[in-house]
Amino acid sequence: MKVYLDNAATTPVRKEVVEAMQPFFSEKFGNASSLHSFGVEARNELEKAREKTASILKVKPSEIIFTSGATEADNFSLKGTALVARKEGKKHLITTAIEHHAVLHSMQWLETQGFDVTYLPVDEFGLVDVEQVSEAIRKDTFLVSVMAANNEIGTIEPFEEIAKICSERNVLFHTDAVQAIGKIPMDLKDIDLLSLSAHKIYGPKGSGVLVVKENVQIEPLIHGGGHEFGKRSGTENVASAVGLAKALELAEKERESEAKRQTALRDKLIDGVLQIPNTRLNGHPTKRLFNNANFSFSFIEGESLILRLNEKGIAASTGSACSSPNLKPSHVLLALGLKPSEAHGSLRLSLGRNNTEEEIDYVLEVLPLVVESLRKISPFAGQ
Ligand SMILES: *Cc1c(COP(=O)(O)O)cnc(C)c1O
């Protein structure tokens, strides 16, 4: 059996999305900036994709900036607003200790450029304290960035409350909504900037959006022909935008039914895995994404677990795919207060629309045996 349980890392492009994108490679290949009919056709389809994306997110089409993914969108939102803020003498940003590296490493780079960053801690479940955000805001704070839901532990943050506070205090609010989009309802009313990625919702890789509300001043990072309202130059990737819009439309359409179905599978998985002795669930018991389960198993290494599961046909992750190869304990799990040894023995199982109950049963059959066999050979067991 082949069981893919790494849907937080990426998802397969769904058939409807492939079909929607297909014409834009060879048949409708025009440059959306050209004045002839090939160009006009491409432009029309690009703008339709923009309108569809905007209407699902309930923002204006002119507030949708297509990017090469969420990494670019996160970089753009933080660095682009920082360049404007510096001219106004503001240099402080607020974020959390559990952000994706696209946000954390952008923040760290901004620190090397003379900006100040406050990294807020989280509680044992991965929740950010709204009060602490409010207290951290200074006179020179220009932006707060808090993810909507965490990619490793699935904790859903109180991002709407934080957005409201920021709006009242006249501070920009950015959220990395990559894992939340298509999983929880999102109200963008008080959100100034929002990043999303197509490949986490059954769309193509290298395709994302930064929502930039019209009140937001942002400096472009990529200069050129003035595409995307002068905010992000480069010949528009029409296929990518069409694929993203289609993926988003379908994700929203299926959101409630998939929430019900995957919650049941996830809970069965969690209940079953917690039967294994010396196992803990990481993240929040209820405020968590319907497709996320993250565990720590004492005495074993997550990496060995992943490899053993892979031999049994189960694809899982130790946490964030980007940081897996370097074997450093996850910054998210450490922020929850786990000891490095506990953080090392972690496993993320993230469900998707293609997973079935039979697959969950199979995992529950295999995983306890794999954990037991690894513990038998573990030098840490019994300590
Ligand atoms: C995957 C992911 C990203 C990066 O998105 P890309 O489109 O792969 O660049 C950023 N933030 C979170 C929370 C993610 O899960």
Side-chain angles (χ1 to χ4, degrees):
M1 201 187 263
K2 274 264 187 210
V3 184
Y4 184 77
L5 282 171
D6 203 10
N7 290 278
T10 196
T11 55
V13 182
R14 54 194 294 172
K15 188 169 72 359
E16 304 93 314
V17 171
V18 174
E19 277 164 17
M21 293 173 72
Q22 196 69 48
F24 300 97
F25 293 105
S26 308
E27 184 193 327
K28 305 184 181 181
F29 65 91
N31 183 323
S33 301
S34 298
L35 295 178
H36 46 64
S37 63
F38 293 84
V40 170
E41 182 177 47
R43 166 66 52 194
N44 286 343
E45 296 296 333
L46 175 70
E47 294 314 320
K48 266 199 249 165
R50 193 188 308 281
E51 277 159 29
K52 186 188 278 183
T53 305
S55 92
I56 294 165
L57 299 175
K58 298 195 175 67
V59 299
K60 296 183 180 146
S62 57
E63 296 173 328
I64 299 292
I65 309 300
F66 289 113
T67 68
S68 67
T71 298
E72 184 190 328
D74 286 343
N75 272 264
F76 183 23
S77 67
L78 308 181
K79 297 175 186 174
T81 55
L83 290 171
V84 175
R86 181 154 63 190
K87 289 187 230 158
E88 295 164 357
K90 293 188 173 180
K91 61 165 193 180
H92 181 231
L93 305 95
I94 299 168
T95 190
T96 79
I98 62 163
E99 296 299 311
H100 189 273
H101 284 137
V103 167
L104 281 183
H105 291 166
S106 294
M107 290 288 189
Q108 286 162 11
W109 181 80
L110 284 168
E111 287 181 288
T112 71
Q113 303 300 306
F115 291 91
D116 280 350
V117 181
T118 299
Y119 300 92
L120 295 172
V122 293
D123 70 9
E124 59 181 313
F125 303 114
L127 278 177
V128 178
D129 181 357
V130 179
E131 270 307 301
Q132 280 191 8
V133 177
S134 179
E135 283 161 18
I137 296 176
R138 318 191 307 212
K139 256 210 196 77
D140 64 343
T141 307
F142 63 91
L143 181 127
V144 173
S145 178
V146 177
M147 66 199 327
N150 183 269
N151 47 304
E152 292 189 39
I153 54 172
T155 300
I156 299 169
E157 300 297 341
F159 63 93
E160 277 159 355
E161 280 172 74
I162 298 171
K164 191 156 177 283
I165 289 171
C166 291
S167 157
E168 286 162 7
R169 305 277 295 272
N170 236 343
V171 172
L172 294 175
F173 179 71
H174 166 255
T175 191
D176 176 332
V178 172
Q179 299 288 341
I181 287 287
K183 309 224 174 56
I184 54 175
M186 300 268 321
D187 178 358
L188 274 69
K189 190 166 69 70
D190 294 318
I191 295 173
D192 300 295
L193 299 134
L194 176 142
S195 308
L196 68 91
S197 176
H199 78 96
K200 306 286 173 81
I201 52 170
Y202 311 93
K205 290 170 185 62
S207 175
V209 157
L210 181 64
V211 175
V212 182
K213 290 285 190 66
E214 64 187 1
N215 62 301
V216 177
Q217 298 228 52
I218 192 161
E219 275 289 328
L221 302 183
I222 300 179
H223 302 92
H227 309 80
E228 298 295 305
F229 315 105
K231 293 189 170 75
R232 198 273 187 187
S233 287
T235 302
E236 297 92 339
N237 191 338
V238 181
S240 160
V242 167
L244 182 145
K246 189 75 191 172
L248 182 62
E249 176 188 41
L250 294 170
E252 272 307 311
K253 207 165 109 191
E254 286 177 2
R255 184 164 51 74
E256 284 178 19
S257 58
E258 279 302 309
K260 223 169 134 196
R261 201 185 69 84
Q262 290 185 43
T263 301
L265 293 182
R266 180 203 65 187
D267 289 347
K268 179 172 191 178
L269 185 62
I270 291 177
D271 291 346
V273 172
L274 290 180
Q275 301 295 314
I276 302 172
N278 297 307
T279 301
R280 58 167 276 167
L281 177 71
N282 295 315
H284 199 280
T286 56
K287 290 175 190 162
R288 79 184 299 136
L289 294 173
F290 63 66
N291 72 331
N292 175 291
N294 187 312
F295 306 97
S296 281
F297 301 94
S298 310
F299 319 124
I300 60 176
E301 295 248 308
E303 288 75 19
S304 336
L305 187 53
I306 300 301
L307 296 178
R308 288 288 187 90
L309 289 174
N310 185 49
E311 287 166 14
K312 304 278 182 198
I314 299 169
S317 163
T318 53
S320 152
C322 327
S323 60
S324 293
N326 60 26
L327 300 188
K328 272 195 225 141
S330 144
H331 66 285
V332 176
L333 297 177
L334 294 179
L336 302 184
L338 267 70
K339 287 185 241 135
S341 61
E342 295 169 308
H344 267 303
S346 76
L347 174 73
R348 179 186 70 185
L349 299 170
S350 48
L351 292 114
R353 60 189 294 274
N354 297 323
N355 291 120
T356 62
E357 187 161 12
E358 291 72 56
E359 292 180 334
I360 301 305
D361 290 337
Y362 175 68
V363 172
L364 291 177
E365 195 183 298
V366 169
L367 183 59
L369 302 174
V370 171
V371 170
E372 194 184 290
S373 83
L374 284 173
R375 279 180 177 165
K376 270 200 190 122
I377 57 166
S378 164
F380 313 111
Q383 281 179 7

